[in-house]
Amino acid sequence: MTSRTRPRRAVKVPAGATTVRIPRQRGRRSRQPFVVVMPERRSFTREAVSALGSVLWHFRRQLAPTGFAVLTFVLSGLLHVLAGWSGFLIGTAAVLAAGWLAIVQRNRPETGAVLAWRIGLASLAFLAAGWMATATVLGPLTGPLETVWLLILIAAQAVWLIVRRTH
């Protein structure tokens, strides 16, 4: 029976795989066969995650406070689970923020817009450090802490964008 009249065997192909049929090569039998690699099509989820990642990477400087807020949220959750007592150490950072304002204002007294920016930055740092200390001791999802986190995030992001636009 010749190869032209011989019935072909059915090759089972897994779902999603692409098959390429290469005709039998004439000539030397010791020649290596052709190998064709067909990549799979990327899934919609992978495309969406890739697009989201590229957008976040493009706007990474504008979204710096959001990244720090998410990092703080995750870090406070980890510290709550591993070492809840560390919140008392983090609480000193909140006191240092208020102390910074008093020391700077005593050494270099300012009025007007500079004083308003100093008060705003010190209060934002006080709130953020106080939130992290409280979230580390009690847990970041306890009571209204997630709402307070979101409000601090919005305030920090708004201040960041305003400062970056004016300078």
Side-chain angles (χ1 to χ4, degrees):
M1 183 178 276
T2 66
S3 63
R4 293 180 186 258
T5 58
R6 184 180 324 138
R8 296 184 181 248
R9 292 184 210 154
V11 178
K12 292 189 177 185
V13 178
T18 305
T19 60
V20 177
R21 298 199 186 276
I22 299 175
R24 176 175 252 188
Q25 299 297 312
R26 302 184 193 275
R28 295 189 343 208
R29 291 181 185 234
S30 62
R31 200 186 282 178
Q32 294 293 323
F34 285 96
V35 176
V36 178
V37 177
M38 300 293 291
E40 287 188 25
R41 291 171 51 184
R42 293 170 50 165
S43 68
F44 178 72
T45 304
R46 185 171 173 186
E47 288 286 336
V49 168
S50 175
L52 179 66
S54 66
V55 167
L56 288 176
W57 182 255
H58 181 71
F59 293 107
R60 66 188 179 274
R61 287 192 182 108
Q62 290 87 346
L63 295 174
T66 302
F68 284 124
V70 170
L71 180 69
T72 303
F73 192 86
V74 171
L75 186 64
S76 67
L78 272 166
L79 285 174
H80 171 70
V81 170
L82 298 176
W85 54 268
S86 63
F88 297 110
L89 297 175
I90 298 170
T92 59
V95 175
L96 290 176
W100 171 84
L101 177 63
I103 290 171
V104 168
Q105 191 60 22
R106 189 187 63 186
N107 291 341
R108 295 179 183 257
E110 291 288 341
T111 59
V114 174
L115 179 61
W117 275 106
R118 284 180 182 176
I119 291 172
L121 288 175
S123 61
L124 192 61
F126 178 78
L127 282 172
W131 180 89
M132 185 165 179
T134 307
T136 301
V137 172
L138 302 175
L141 298 176
T142 303
L145 281 179
E146 61 266 358
T147 306
V148 173
W149 174 79
L150 186 63
L151 292 174
I152 293 171
L153 165 66
I154 291 170
Q157 186 68 50
V159 168
W160 178 262
L161 292 175
I162 289 169
V163 169
R164 286 183 52 88
R165 295 268 184 211
T166 58
H167 292 293

